Amino acid sequence: KEVQPDDVVISQGEEGDNFYVIEEGAFEAFVQRGEAAPAKVCEYGPGGMFGELALMYNANRAATVKAASAGKLWALDRDSFQMMLVTTENTRSKQYEEFLENVDILQDLTKYEVARLS
């Protein structure tokens, strides 16, 4: 997705739809608390990412992110993002289980007990 300066990528309070990774450009995050004017809380550049909180916690957007310059973003939709998290967690659990199975003191544990430890 290509953006121009001042384009709003995500808006505080809206439902989350995508996770974004920055290829090019500069972006700024703003949070509005109460009646106060929105305050800048973060800046992002190439390689930065944003939008994960609403997708991970099934919550509304916690901030507004605007383009500070022309830029390019990669967007990952909600379902793909959540599948990536599940796949990563399953892979990590499997690696922990394999490690624990090779620890001498844990050799008497059942597969279920090793899985619970991982």
Side-chain angles (χ1 to χ4, degrees), residues 28-33 38-44 62-65:
E28 299 172 326
F30 297 87
V31 173
Q32 182 172 6
R33 293 181 176 92
K40 182 165 61 170
V41 295
C42 191
E43 296 178 352
Y44 301 99
T64 296
V65 177

Side-chain angles (χ1 to χ4, degrees), residues 8 18 64-65 68 79 81 96 98 117:
V8 174
N18 289 307
T64 296
V65 177
D79 292 338
F81 179 80
Y96 290 156
E98 289 173 0
L117 277 176

